[in-house]
Amino acid sequence: MAELVKNTANITTVNVEEELTPPWKEAWQSFCKNKLALVGLGIVIFFILLAFIAPSVAPYSSTDQNLVERLQAPSGKHWFGTDDFGRDIFSRILYGARISLWVGFFSVLGSVILGTLLGIVAGYYGRWVDAIISRCFDIMLAFPSILLAIAVVAILGPSLQNALIAIAIINIPNFGRLVRSKVLSVKQEEYIMAARAVGMKDTRILFRHILPNSISPVIVQATLAIATAIIEAAALGFLGLGAQAPTPEWGKMLSDSKQYLVQAPWTLFFPGIAIMLTVLGFNLMGDGLRDVLDPKMKQ
């Protein structure tokens, strides 16, 4: 009898521990089961670390020119070779990681903040507020994203900061419509109706109850949007509308080296590989987060 009671107590303890498992811990355990997502996370962490330690790791300055060593092939002295101004490509890629990640993170952060605010207001209040905001989103989405970004940069002027603003603007509708659709379903829940019935203010309902229950798809979309933002920043840099010389931005490096494709292919290969790996890392990580946070994927 004593052994039976002991076993019953152990089973009860295990059940209680499983019930008390924090949601974030459960999500992390599910994320760790996805090997590709872990590979993506590893790639992202690797490039973030490179961006932070670039000044300590880079063997040369990213802007110093040495025309005597221009267009040298990869060697022990210059691991990734040199460009048409004799600048070390390895050092420029390390510093370029800081720029590309900075543009990716902060442009998406701006899109998330503005898009979430507009989406939550449109979904909660509805009627003419929803109509105006939704039509603005539809108009922006009617244009190809890169063309809209080019138009914004053309108005503001070519620079890295203006490219960041342009990328943030073109991604606002994506987050706005995502949040709006989520709010439309969440606001019909009984606990929201109860909060209204007791006279709770709209701002408290929005930011205490609706927003926390609508944020999961935003996290997934933001992770994937960073990858898109890095590509868009590289595209604007390639067109001469983003970072300006001698800034070591990966897209600008591709643009400056395109005429040496046959003579010095390494000048295009290594920046292109850096863009590809970074985008791949964020995409794999975003897919893993979607599998963890999306209830439909769980089912």
Side-chain angles (χ1 to χ4, degrees):
M1 178 64 70
E3 184 177 354
L4 179 60
V5 172
K6 183 177 180 180
N7 292 336
T8 304
N10 291 336
I11 293 173
T12 303
T13 302
V14 171
N15 291 336
V16 171
E17 289 178 352
E18 290 178 352
E19 291 177 358
L20 295 178
T21 301
W24 65 266
K25 187 175 182 180
E26 182 181 355
W28 172 248
Q29 291 173 349
S30 301
F31 183 84
C32 291
K33 295 178 182 178
N34 190 327
K35 302 303 181 184
L36 289 177
L38 290 178
V39 172
L41 178 62
I43 294 174
V44 170
I45 292 176
F46 173 73
F47 276 97
I48 291 176
L49 289 176
L50 284 183
F52 273 106
I53 64 176
S56 302
V57 176
Y60 302 93
S61 168
S62 63
T63 56
D64 288 350
Q65 301 180 9
N66 186 356
L67 296 179
V68 176
E69 298 182 348
R70 66 188 301 270
L71 298 179
Q72 287 193 357
S75 63
K77 186 177 181 181
H78 299 285
W79 293 354
F80 290 176
T82 61
D83 62 9
D84 54 323
F85 287 101
R87 296 171 296 197
D88 184 67
I89 295 178
F90 177 70
S91 300
R92 289 178 63 78
I93 287 179
L94 291 179
Y95 281 95
R98 313 180 93 186
I99 296 172
S100 294
L101 292 175
W102 177 76
V103 172
F105 279 118
F106 284 97
S107 63
V108 170
L109 179 62
S111 301
V112 168
I113 293 174
L114 294 176
T116 299
L117 290 176
L118 292 173
I120 200 172
V121 169
Y124 184 76
Y125 290 104
R127 298 185 179 180
W128 63 269
V129 176
D130 183 20
I132 293 176
I133 295 177
S134 296
R135 296 298 78 75
C136 291
F137 288 163
D138 292 340
I139 292 172
M140 295 178 67
L141 291 172
F143 296 92
S145 59
I146 189 63
L147 293 181
L148 185 58
I150 291 173
V152 174
V153 174
I155 295 172
L156 299 177
S159 71
L160 184 62
Q161 290 76 15
N162 292 339
L164 187 152
I165 294 173
I167 295 170
I169 291 174
I170 64 176
N171 285 311
I172 288 175
N174 297 325
F175 291 99
R177 296 185 68 177
L178 181 65
V179 173
R180 174 186 174 274
S181 63
K182 189 67 176 178
V183 171
L184 287 175
S185 61
V186 172
K187 76 175 185 178
Q188 302 299 329
E189 299 290 339
E190 293 182 357
Y191 64 91
I192 300 297
M193 296 181 181
R196 287 176 176 173
V198 299
M200 187 178 293
K201 294 182 179 179
D202 287 347
T203 53
R204 188 175 182 184
I205 294 175
L206 288 173
F207 294 102
R208 188 184 180 97
H209 298 290
I210 293 182
L211 182 59
N213 289 285
S214 307
I215 202 67
S216 295
V218 175
I219 296 174
V220 177
Q221 180 64 28
T223 306
L224 298 172
I226 292 175
T228 304
I230 291 174
I231 294 178
E232 290 167 344
L236 291 174
F238 185 84
L239 295 173
L241 298 174
Q244 302 298 305
T247 305
E249 194 271 327
W250 292 339
K252 180 62 177 174
M253 292 174 66
L254 290 175
S255 176
D256 294 340
S257 304
K258 61 181 182 293
Q259 57 183 321
Y260 303 106
L261 176 60
V262 177
Q263 181 182 358
W266 57 86
T267 58
L268 286 89
F269 176 77
F270 290 111
I273 288 294
I275 295 172
M276 185 271 291
L277 288 177
T278 307
V279 172
L280 176 65
F282 279 106
N283 283 335
L284 292 176
M285 189 173 69
D287 289 340
L289 288 175
R290 182 185 58 191
D291 295 342
V292 171
L293 299 176
D294 190 346
K296 295 180 181 179
M297 298 299 294
K298 288 181 180 180
Q299 294 175 359

